[in-house]
Amino acid sequence: MVQPPYAPELNPVERFFRELRRAIEGRVYPDLQAKQEALEPILKAWQADPEWVKQLCGWGWIRDTLEALPTADATP
């Protein structure tokens, strides 16, 4: 199946990275360490709010598919 070169609906993590870029763009960092230090509190805040990340990256069709999968504790 041929896929378009850019299809965020097929790769929803693109939305995550777009938001991450928005959070850190517009600044010049003196080195990679400084940029990593700027990212750390952002990523920690997102880690503390998994529902926000799910809302950002979890398209409806993805959530529906995951919910339809059998769980590990389900007996066959």
Side-chain angles (χ1 to χ4, degrees):
M1 173 188 293
V2 178
Q3 294 185 358
Y6 178 73
E9 64 277 0
L10 299 177
N11 189 8
V13 75
E14 290 290 337
R15 294 179 72 192
F16 179 89
F17 286 115
R18 181 179 56 203
E19 290 300 316
L20 195 55
R21 282 189 297 271
R22 279 188 198 163
I24 62 168
E25 72 182 6
R27 289 183 49 196
V28 176
Y29 299 92
D31 54 28
L32 182 58
Q33 180 68 32
K35 193 167 193 175
Q36 289 172 330
E37 289 170 2
L39 284 169
E40 190 171 340
I42 297 165
L43 293 174
K44 283 185 177 183
W46 292 1
Q47 183 179 19
D49 191 0
E51 288 305 314
W52 182 83
V53 176
K54 286 179 188 178
Q55 182 180 4
L56 179 66
C57 298
W59 296 85
W61 66 270
I62 293 172
R63 287 193 307 267
D64 293 344
T65 302
L66 290 174
E67 289 173 7
L69 291 174
T71 60
D73 60 334
T75 55

